[in-house]
Amino acid sequence: MLNQRLVRENPNLIARELSRRGMRLDLKGLQVIAQKQKDLEKRRNLLQAEGNLIGKKVGQSIKQGLDPTSKEINSLRQEGNLIKQKVNELDIEEKKAAEILRNKLLSLPNLPSPKCPNGQNETENKEIRQWGDPPIGKHFKNHWEIAESLNLFESERSARIAQSRFVTLLGNGARLERALINFMLDLHSKKGYKEILPPVLVNTKSLTSSGQLPKFAEESFRCADDDLWLTPTAEVPVTSMHRNEIIPSEQLPLKYVAYSPCFRREAGTYGKDTRGLIRLHQFNKVELYWFAHPEKSEEAHDQITTDAESVLRELELPYRVIELCTGDLGFSASRTFDLEVWLPGAGVYREISSCSNCDEFQARRSSIRTKEDKKTRVLHTLNGSGLAVGRTMAALLENGQQPDGSVVLPKALVPYFGAKQIELNQ
RNA sequence: GGAGAGGUGGCCGAGUGGUUUAAGGCGCAGCACUGGAAAUGCUGUAUAGGGGCAACUCUAUCGAGGGUUCGAAUCCCUCCCUCUCCGCCA
């Protein structure tokens, strides 16, 4: 959420920055409402002070022995009633204004960082760096062909269990997924991340706090009888873990690594990535998350990205780092680096991690602050996949495929998987 | 799911309609005392939003939201959460 003071004092700045995202907004109306709310609040406060004074007078008079039914007391009571009535009227108006303001503010995205390059859409993203030698050739198979021949997962029967876009991992497939989750959690834990296994059902407040609601309700699965949703990412429960807290600055940064299954409707992607492990309604993800000091979030952003990259390096998977342009930036992000892994079967780089600096945006929605020298201020939050597990498996299959149909696994994974390769007919 | 007890500052805890401006204690910080410390004493110690150069000051917040009242931590209503016992359950 954007700072309300900014709405009142510099709406043009907001409009200008959001235009970099391709939004054309006139914030004059919003500014008027914000100002109105503040004015009403001021008037109400003054009236309340008057009312408090009368209340005090009545109390003192009675204490001094004045008859509670006397003229003086009764006239004070009348005065008090009058004030109360006025306060109520102001209060109703003020709440209306505050509600409108809040709803509008909650559906405005974050301002892009000054460092975020301008652009209309994903075609204008900037490549930052590349790592590894991407194997190229027509003979490489897609990961679902490999998985099928190795009998790693079952898609058609999964539709029987749930729907399309669900997958059931089998045998070595299930084992590999589990190995990857453990490997990633261990790798990040060793770097000082605290491991979290969060609830995957989250309430409306939590989804609002990290920015998925109110705008993207159609992207999440909702429980019919409860105020609970299936989380689209561990970012949601981890953000809300510290909702309404003040974290002393000497404790920052708080670094968490959270494994969770993630649930997304993937509305509007019919026909896209219908086969394999790339786009599912349920997938596993290991998420990195930082609560950082507001002045140190840029370094934190570099570090969280590097930490996410380390998984790909350990797994010897070629990748590149892309900086998203303003037009491709997510709702809560001010700046984002995507990691894209090379898929030789598909012959493309595919997003496998998104590392975002959300600066104050989520923290303000969640009221997460830090305290330093008696001053409280909103802190910064960052998140990055470390990594999407299903897509990592796809990349391992495509990059590790051998002419004989087996798949060779990277050394780092062997202790976790228990074998150097996945053979045919196992 | 049933019955009962609770929810007050960083923590413990008093407070059942009016000098509560939330007592007292613990913790923490500063100062004094000390060779240094302990002990002791004094002062300070929440959040949000306003006003003021500042000292300071106003408003709200005692689980959340409503209500009664001139005045609510205290009374009423709704909801949430915690604990104990019972039932059910991995």
Side-chain angles (χ1 to χ4, degrees), chain A residues 247-265:
Chain A
I247 300 164
S249 65
E250 61 269 19
Q251 286 178 25
L252 297 179
L254 294 178
K255 297 159 63 177
Y256 294 110
V257 56
Y259 155 72
S260 86
C262 304
F263 303 89
R264 299 183 184 179
R265 301 185 80 95

mmCIF file with all atom_site columns, all heavy atoms in Angstrom, chain A residues 247-265:
data_model
loop_
_atom_site.group_PDB
_atom_site.id
_atom_site.type_symbol
_atom_site.label_atom_id
_atom_site.label_alt_id
_atom_site.label_comp_id
_atom_site.label_asym_id
_atom_site.label_entity_id
_atom_site.label_seq_id
_atom_site.pdbx_PDB_ins_code
_atom_site.Cartn_x
_atom_site.Cartn_y
_atom_site.Cartn_z
_atom_site.occupancy
_atom_site.B_iso_or_equiv
_atom_site.pdbx_formal_charge
_atom_site.auth_seq_id
_atom_site.auth_comp_id
_atom_site.auth_asym_id
_atom_site.auth_atom_id
_atom_site.pdbx_PDB_model_num
ATOM 1   N N   . ILE A 1 247 ? 9.993   -4.856  14.832  1.00 0.00 ? 247 ILE A N   1
ATOM 2   C CA  . ILE A 1 247 ? 11.188  -5.668  14.987  1.00 0.00 ? 247 ILE A CA  1
ATOM 3   C C   . ILE A 1 247 ? 12.380  -4.740  15.224  1.00 0.00 ? 247 ILE A C   1
ATOM 4   O O   . ILE A 1 247 ? 12.642  -3.867  14.400  1.00 0.00 ? 247 ILE A O   1
ATOM 5   C CB  . ILE A 1 247 ? 11.417  -6.520  13.716  1.00 0.00 ? 247 ILE A CB  1
ATOM 6   C CG1 . ILE A 1 247 ? 10.201  -7.440  13.492  1.00 0.00 ? 247 ILE A CG1 1
ATOM 7   C CG2 . ILE A 1 247 ? 12.699  -7.336  13.835  1.00 0.00 ? 247 ILE A CG2 1
ATOM 8   C CD1 . ILE A 1 247 ? 10.116  -8.027  12.105  1.00 0.00 ? 247 ILE A CD1 1
ATOM 9   N N   . PRO A 1 248 ? 13.060  -4.888  16.381  1.00 0.00 ? 248 PRO A N   1
ATOM 10  C CA  . PRO A 1 248 ? 14.205  -4.015  16.664  1.00 0.00 ? 248 PRO A CA  1
ATOM 11  C C   . PRO A 1 248 ? 15.231  -4.092  15.532  1.00 0.00 ? 248 PRO A C   1
ATOM 12  O O   . PRO A 1 248 ? 15.488  -5.171  15.009  1.00 0.00 ? 248 PRO A O   1
ATOM 13  C CB  . PRO A 1 248 ? 14.788  -4.596  17.957  1.00 0.00 ? 248 PRO A CB  1
ATOM 14  C CG  . PRO A 1 248 ? 13.684  -5.402  18.564  1.00 0.00 ? 248 PRO A CG  1
ATOM 15  C CD  . PRO A 1 248 ? 12.838  -5.887  17.433  1.00 0.00 ? 248 PRO A CD  1
ATOM 16  N N   . SER A 1 249 ? 15.794  -2.944  15.172  1.00 0.00 ? 249 SER A N   1
ATOM 17  C CA  . SER A 1 249 ? 16.646  -2.897  13.977  1.00 0.00 ? 249 SER A CA  1
ATOM 18  C C   . SER A 1 249 ? 17.870  -3.801  14.101  1.00 0.00 ? 249 SER A C   1
ATOM 19  O O   . SER A 1 249 ? 18.363  -4.305  13.094  1.00 0.00 ? 249 SER A O   1
ATOM 20  C CB  . SER A 1 249 ? 17.084  -1.459  13.706  1.00 0.00 ? 249 SER A CB  1
ATOM 21  O OG  . SER A 1 249 ? 17.913  -1.011  14.755  1.00 0.00 ? 249 SER A OG  1
ATOM 22  N N   . GLU A 1 250 ? 18.328  -4.044  15.359  1.00 0.00 ? 250 GLU A N   1
ATOM 23  C CA  . GLU A 1 250 ? 19.511  -4.900  15.483  1.00 0.00 ? 250 GLU A CA  1
ATOM 24  C C   . GLU A 1 250 ? 19.207  -6.359  15.146  1.00 0.00 ? 250 GLU A C   1
ATOM 25  O O   . GLU A 1 250 ? 20.124  -7.146  14.954  1.00 0.00 ? 250 GLU A O   1
ATOM 26  C CB  . GLU A 1 250 ? 20.151  -4.769  16.870  1.00 0.00 ? 250 GLU A CB  1
ATOM 27  C CG  . GLU A 1 250 ? 19.270  -5.170  18.040  1.00 0.00 ? 250 GLU A CG  1
ATOM 28  C CD  . GLU A 1 250 ? 18.463  -3.984  18.600  1.00 0.00 ? 250 GLU A CD  1
ATOM 29  O OE1 . GLU A 1 250 ? 18.306  -2.965  17.896  1.00 0.00 ? 250 GLU A OE1 1
ATOM 30  O OE2 . GLU A 1 250 ? 17.981  -4.100  19.750  1.00 0.00 ? 250 GLU A OE2 1
ATOM 31  N N   . GLN A 1 251 ? 17.923  -6.708  15.077  1.00 0.00 ? 251 GLN A N   1
ATOM 32  C CA  . GLN A 1 251 ? 17.573  -8.078  14.703  1.00 0.00 ? 251 GLN A CA  1
ATOM 33  C C   . GLN A 1 251 ? 17.501  -8.268  13.189  1.00 0.00 ? 251 GLN A C   1
ATOM 34  O O   . GLN A 1 251 ? 17.366  -9.386  12.700  1.00 0.00 ? 251 GLN A O   1
ATOM 35  C CB  . GLN A 1 251 ? 16.221  -8.462  15.317  1.00 0.00 ? 251 GLN A CB  1
ATOM 36  C CG  . GLN A 1 251 ? 16.293  -8.727  16.808  1.00 0.00 ? 251 GLN A CG  1
ATOM 37  C CD  . GLN A 1 251 ? 14.921  -9.063  17.393  1.00 0.00 ? 251 GLN A CD  1
ATOM 38  O OE1 . GLN A 1 251 ? 14.033  -9.531  16.700  1.00 0.00 ? 251 GLN A OE1 1
ATOM 39  N NE2 . GLN A 1 251 ? 14.764  -8.803  18.686  1.00 0.00 ? 251 GLN A NE2 1
ATOM 40  N N   . LEU A 1 252 ? 17.521  -7.163  12.456  1.00 0.00 ? 252 LEU A N   1
ATOM 41  C CA  . LEU A 1 252 ? 17.394  -7.245  10.996  1.00 0.00 ? 252 LEU A CA  1
ATOM 42  C C   . LEU A 1 252 ? 18.754  -7.549  10.360  1.00 0.00 ? 252 LEU A C   1
ATOM 43  O O   . LEU A 1 252 ? 19.771  -7.136  10.893  1.00 0.00 ? 252 LEU A O   1
ATOM 44  C CB  . LEU A 1 252 ? 16.842  -5.928  10.450  1.00 0.00 ? 252 LEU A CB  1
ATOM 45  C CG  . LEU A 1 252 ? 15.430  -5.562  10.924  1.00 0.00 ? 252 LEU A CG  1
ATOM 46  C CD1 . LEU A 1 252 ? 14.998  -4.226  10.337  1.00 0.00 ? 252 LEU A CD1 1
ATOM 47  C CD2 . LEU A 1 252 ? 14.434  -6.644  10.552  1.00 0.00 ? 252 LEU A CD2 1
ATOM 48  N N   . PRO A 1 253 ? 18.787  -8.207  9.220   1.00 0.00 ? 253 PRO A N   1
ATOM 49  C CA  . PRO A 1 253 ? 17.611  -8.738  8.530   1.00 0.00 ? 253 PRO A CA  1
ATOM 50  C C   . PRO A 1 253 ? 17.179  -10.082 9.111   1.00 0.00 ? 253 PRO A C   1
ATOM 51  O O   . PRO A 1 253 ? 18.010  -10.847 9.577   1.00 0.00 ? 253 PRO A O   1
ATOM 52  C CB  . PRO A 1 253 ? 18.127  -8.943  7.104   1.00 0.00 ? 253 PRO A CB  1
ATOM 53  C CG  . PRO A 1 253 ? 19.583  -9.265  7.287   1.00 0.00 ? 253 PRO A CG  1
ATOM 54  C CD  . PRO A 1 253 ? 20.026  -8.463  8.478   1.00 0.00 ? 253 PRO A CD  1
ATOM 55  N N   . LEU A 1 254 ? 15.864  -10.332 9.079   1.00 0.00 ? 254 LEU A N   1
ATOM 56  C CA  . LEU A 1 254 ? 15.354  -11.669 9.361   1.00 0.00 ? 254 LEU A CA  1
ATOM 57  C C   . LEU A 1 254 ? 15.281  -12.401 8.031   1.00 0.00 ? 254 LEU A C   1
ATOM 58  O O   . LEU A 1 254 ? 14.673  -11.913 7.084   1.00 0.00 ? 254 LEU A O   1
ATOM 59  C CB  . LEU A 1 254 ? 13.948  -11.599 9.974   1.00 0.00 ? 254 LEU A CB  1
ATOM 60  C CG  . LEU A 1 254 ? 13.815  -10.965 11.352  1.00 0.00 ? 254 LEU A CG  1
ATOM 61  C CD1 . LEU A 1 254 ? 12.352  -10.943 11.776  1.00 0.00 ? 254 LEU A CD1 1
ATOM 62  C CD2 . LEU A 1 254 ? 14.640  -11.716 12.379  1.00 0.00 ? 254 LEU A CD2 1
ATOM 63  N N   . LYS A 1 255 ? 15.944  -13.556 7.968   1.00 0.00 ? 255 LYS A N   1
ATOM 64  C CA  . LYS A 1 255 ? 15.990  -14.306 6.712   1.00 0.00 ? 255 LYS A CA  1
ATOM 65  C C   . LYS A 1 255 ? 15.324  -15.656 6.910   1.00 0.00 ? 255 LYS A C   1
ATOM 66  O O   . LYS A 1 255 ? 15.730  -16.424 7.765   1.00 0.00 ? 255 LYS A O   1
ATOM 67  C CB  . LYS A 1 255 ? 17.448  -14.512 6.289   1.00 0.00 ? 255 LYS A CB  1
ATOM 68  C CG  . LYS A 1 255 ? 18.169  -13.203 6.007   1.00 0.00 ? 255 LYS A CG  1
ATOM 69  C CD  . LYS A 1 255 ? 19.677  -13.345 6.090   1.00 0.00 ? 255 LYS A CD  1
ATOM 70  C CE  . LYS A 1 255 ? 20.244  -14.295 5.073   1.00 0.00 ? 255 LYS A CE  1
ATOM 71  N NZ  . LYS A 1 255 ? 21.736  -14.346 5.151   1.00 0.00 ? 255 LYS A NZ  1
ATOM 72  N N   . TYR A 1 256 ? 14.303  -15.924 6.100   1.00 0.00 ? 256 TYR A N   1
ATOM 73  C CA  . TYR A 1 256 ? 13.551  -17.172 6.231   1.00 0.00 ? 256 TYR A CA  1
ATOM 74  C C   . TYR A 1 256 ? 13.588  -17.956 4.933   1.00 0.00 ? 256 TYR A C   1
ATOM 75  O O   . TYR A 1 256 ? 13.587  -17.383 3.850   1.00 0.00 ? 256 TYR A O   1
ATOM 76  C CB  . TYR A 1 256 ? 12.087  -16.896 6.579   1.00 0.00 ? 256 TYR A CB  1
ATOM 77  C CG  . TYR A 1 256 ? 11.887  -16.276 7.940   1.00 0.00 ? 256 TYR A CG  1
ATOM 78  C CD1 . TYR A 1 256 ? 11.469  -14.957 8.065   1.00 0.00 ? 256 TYR A CD1 1
ATOM 79  C CD2 . TYR A 1 256 ? 12.115  -17.007 9.098   1.00 0.00 ? 256 TYR A CD2 1
ATOM 80  C CE1 . TYR A 1 256 ? 11.278  -14.383 9.311   1.00 0.00 ? 256 TYR A CE1 1
ATOM 81  C CE2 . TYR A 1 256 ? 11.927  -16.447 10.353  1.00 0.00 ? 256 TYR A CE2 1
ATOM 82  C CZ  . TYR A 1 256 ? 11.511  -15.137 10.460  1.00 0.00 ? 256 TYR A CZ  1
ATOM 83  O OH  . TYR A 1 256 ? 11.319  -14.576 11.688  1.00 0.00 ? 256 TYR A OH  1
ATOM 84  N N   . VAL A 1 257 ? 13.614  -19.277 5.077   1.00 0.00 ? 257 VAL A N   1
ATOM 85  C CA  . VAL A 1 257 ? 13.401  -20.139 3.922   1.00 0.00 ? 257 VAL A CA  1
ATOM 86  C C   . VAL A 1 257 ? 12.209  -21.028 4.250   1.00 0.00 ? 257 VAL A C   1
ATOM 87  O O   . VAL A 1 257 ? 12.184  -21.693 5.277   1.00 0.00 ? 257 VAL A O   1
ATOM 88  C CB  . VAL A 1 257 ? 14.661  -20.964 3.563   1.00 0.00 ? 257 VAL A CB  1
ATOM 89  C CG1 . VAL A 1 257 ? 15.160  -21.788 4.735   1.00 0.00 ? 257 VAL A CG1 1
ATOM 90  C CG2 . VAL A 1 257 ? 14.389  -21.846 2.354   1.00 0.00 ? 257 VAL A CG2 1
ATOM 91  N N   . ALA A 1 258 ? 11.198  -20.965 3.384   1.00 0.00 ? 258 ALA A N   1
ATOM 92  C CA  . ALA A 1 258 ? 9.954   -21.670 3.662   1.00 0.00 ? 258 ALA A CA  1
ATOM 93  C C   . ALA A 1 258 ? 9.605   -22.587 2.502   1.00 0.00 ? 258 ALA A C   1
ATOM 94  O O   . ALA A 1 258 ? 9.522   -22.143 1.356   1.00 0.00 ? 258 ALA A O   1
ATOM 95  C CB  . ALA A 1 258 ? 8.821   -20.673 3.886   1.00 0.00 ? 258 ALA A CB  1
ATOM 96  N N   . TYR A 1 259 ? 9.417   -23.864 2.815   1.00 0.00 ? 259 TYR A N   1
ATOM 97  C CA  . TYR A 1 259 ? 8.883   -24.761 1.806   1.00 0.00 ? 259 TYR A CA  1
ATOM 98  C C   . TYR A 1 259 ? 7.371   -24.776 1.939   1.00 0.00 ? 259 TYR A C   1
ATOM 99  O O   . TYR A 1 259 ? 6.847   -24.818 3.061   1.00 0.00 ? 259 TYR A O   1
ATOM 100 C CB  . TYR A 1 259 ? 9.405   -26.189 1.985   1.00 0.00 ? 259 TYR A CB  1
ATOM 101 C CG  . TYR A 1 259 ? 8.458   -27.198 1.386   1.00 0.00 ? 259 TYR A CG  1
ATOM 102 C CD1 . TYR A 1 259 ? 8.351   -27.297 0.003   1.00 0.00 ? 259 TYR A CD1 1
ATOM 103 C CD2 . TYR A 1 259 ? 7.635   -27.971 2.182   1.00 0.00 ? 259 TYR A CD2 1
ATOM 104 C CE1 . TYR A 1 259 ? 7.429   -28.157 -0.557  1.00 0.00 ? 259 TYR A CE1 1
ATOM 105 C CE2 . TYR A 1 259 ? 6.713   -28.843 1.625   1.00 0.00 ? 259 TYR A CE2 1
ATOM 106 C CZ  . TYR A 1 259 ? 6.617   -28.926 0.255   1.00 0.00 ? 259 TYR A CZ  1
ATOM 107 O OH  . TYR A 1 259 ? 5.694   -29.755 -0.304  1.00 0.00 ? 259 TYR A OH  1
ATOM 108 N N   . SER A 1 260 ? 6.676   -24.739 0.818   1.00 0.00 ? 260 SER A N   1
ATOM 109 C CA  . SER A 1 260 ? 5.230   -24.974 0.863   1.00 0.00 ? 260 SER A CA  1
ATOM 110 C C   . SER A 1 260 ? 4.744   -25.420 -0.506  1.00 0.00 ? 260 SER A C   1
ATOM 111 O O   . SER A 1 260 ? 5.342   -25.072 -1.515  1.00 0.00 ? 260 SER A O   1
ATOM 112 C CB  . SER A 1 260 ? 4.463   -23.708 1.263   1.00 0.00 ? 260 SER A CB  1
ATOM 113 O OG  . SER A 1 260 ? 4.202   -22.903 0.134   1.00 0.00 ? 260 SER A OG  1
ATOM 114 N N   . PRO A 1 261 ? 3.665   -26.195 -0.527  1.00 0.00 ? 261 PRO A N   1
ATOM 115 C CA  . PRO A 1 261 ? 2.956   -26.344 -1.794  1.00 0.00 ? 261 PRO A CA  1
ATOM 116 C C   . PRO A 1 261 ? 2.275   -25.018 -2.111  1.00 0.00 ? 261 PRO A C   1
ATOM 117 O O   . PRO A 1 261 ? 1.936   -24.269 -1.194  1.00 0.00 ? 261 PRO A O   1
ATOM 118 C CB  . PRO A 1 261 ? 1.923   -27.437 -1.509  1.00 0.00 ? 261 PRO A CB  1
ATOM 119 C CG  . PRO A 1 261 ? 1.838   -27.559 -0.040  1.00 0.00 ? 261 PRO A CG  1
ATOM 120 C CD  . PRO A 1 261 ? 3.063   -26.938 0.565   1.00 0.00 ? 261 PRO A CD  1
ATOM 121 N N   . CYS A 1 262 ? 2.113   -24.708 -3.390  1.00 0.00 ? 262 CYS A N   1
ATOM 122 C CA  . CYS A 1 262 ? 1.508   -23.456 -3.807  1.00 0.00 ? 262 CYS A CA  1
ATOM 123 C C   . CYS A 1 262 ? 0.339   -23.758 -4.727  1.00 0.00 ? 262 CYS A C   1
ATOM 124 O O   . CYS A 1 262 ? 0.412   -24.703 -5.519  1.00 0.00 ? 262 CYS A O   1
ATOM 125 C CB  . CYS A 1 262 ? 2.518   -22.592 -4.566  1.00 0.00 ? 262 CYS A CB  1
ATOM 126 S SG  . CYS A 1 262 ? 4.012   -22.272 -3.634  1.00 0.00 ? 262 CYS A SG  1
ATOM 127 N N   . PHE A 1 263 ? -0.713  -22.963 -4.612  1.00 0.00 ? 263 PHE A N   1
ATOM 128 C CA  . PHE A 1 263 ? -1.933  -23.241 -5.364  1.00 0.00 ? 263 PHE A CA  1
ATOM 129 C C   . PHE A 1 263 ? -2.347  -22.017 -6.167  1.00 0.00 ? 263 PHE A C   1
ATOM 130 O O   . PHE A 1 263 ? -2.503  -20.944 -5.599  1.00 0.00 ? 263 PHE A O   1
ATOM 131 C CB  . PHE A 1 263 ? -3.050  -23.629 -4.395  1.00 0.00 ? 263 PHE A CB  1
ATOM 132 C CG  . PHE A 1 263 ? -2.686  -24.805 -3.527  1.00 0.00 ? 263 PHE A CG  1
ATOM 133 C CD1 . PHE A 1 263 ? -2.034  -24.610 -2.312  1.00 0.00 ? 263 PHE A CD1 1
ATOM 134 C CD2 . PHE A 1 263 ? -2.960  -26.101 -3.933  1.00 0.00 ? 263 PHE A CD2 1
ATOM 135 C CE1 . PHE A 1 263 ? -1.684  -25.686 -1.514  1.00 0.00 ? 263 PHE A CE1 1
ATOM 136 C CE2 . PHE A 1 263 ? -2.619  -27.184 -3.134  1.00 0.00 ? 263 PHE A CE2 1
ATOM 137 C CZ  . PHE A 1 263 ? -1.971  -26.974 -1.927  1.00 0.00 ? 263 PHE A CZ  1
ATOM 138 N N   . ARG A 1 264 ? -2.470  -22.217 -7.469  1.00 0.00 ? 264 ARG A N   1
ATOM 139 C CA  . ARG A 1 264 ? -2.862  -21.086 -8.319  1.00 0.00 ? 264 ARG A CA  1
ATOM 140 C C   . ARG A 1 264 ? -3.858  -21.545 -9.363  1.00 0.00 ? 264 ARG A C   1
ATOM 141 O O   . ARG A 1 264 ? -3.724  -22.619 -9.924  1.00 0.00 ? 264 ARG A O   1
ATOM 142 C CB  . ARG A 1 264 ? -1.623  -20.495 -9.013  1.00 0.00 ? 264 ARG A CB  1
ATOM 143 C CG  . ARG A 1 264 ? -0.613  -19.977 -8.008  1.00 0.00 ? 264 ARG A CG  1
ATOM 144 C CD  . ARG A 1 264 ? 0.596   -19.327 -8.639  1.00 0.00 ? 264 ARG A CD  1
ATOM 145 N NE  . ARG A 1 264 ? 1.543   -18.952 -7.596  1.00 0.00 ? 264 ARG A NE  1
ATOM 146 C CZ  . ARG A 1 264 ? 2.723   -18.370 -7.817  1.00 0.00 ? 264 ARG A CZ  1
ATOM 147 N NH1 . ARG A 1 264 ? 3.091   -18.099 -9.062  1.00 0.00 ? 264 ARG A NH1 1
ATOM 148 N NH2 . ARG A 1 264 ? 3.509   -18.068 -6.816  1.00 0.00 ? 264 ARG A NH2 1
ATOM 149 N N   . ARG A 1 265 ? -4.829  -20.696 -9.626  1.00 0.00 ? 265 ARG A N   1
ATOM 150 C CA  . ARG A 1 265 ? -5.850  -21.073 -10.607 1.00 0.00 ? 265 ARG A CA  1
ATOM 151 C C   . ARG A 1 265 ? -5.310  -21.006 -12.020 1.00 0.00 ? 265 ARG A C   1
ATOM 152 O O   . ARG A 1 265 ? -5.841  -21.644 -12.914 1.00 0.00 ? 265 ARG A O   1
ATOM 153 C CB  . ARG A 1 265 ? -7.053  -20.158 -10.487 1.00 0.00 ? 265 ARG A CB  1
ATOM 154 C CG  . ARG A 1 265 ? -7.702  -20.189 -9.125  1.00 0.00 ? 265 ARG A CG  1
ATOM 155 C CD  . ARG A 1 265 ? -8.960  -19.345 -9.138  1.00 0.00 ? 265 ARG A CD  1
ATOM 156 N NE  . ARG A 1 265 ? -10.040 -20.104 -9.731  1.00 0.00 ? 265 ARG A NE  1
ATOM 157 C CZ  . ARG A 1 265 ? -10.918 -20.797 -9.030  1.00 0.00 ? 265 ARG A CZ  1
ATOM 158 N NH1 . ARG A 1 265 ? -10.852 -20.793 -7.716  1.00 0.00 ? 265 ARG A NH1 1
ATOM 159 N NH2 . ARG A 1 265 ? -11.870 -21.484 -9.620  1.00 0.00 ? 265 ARG A NH2 1
#
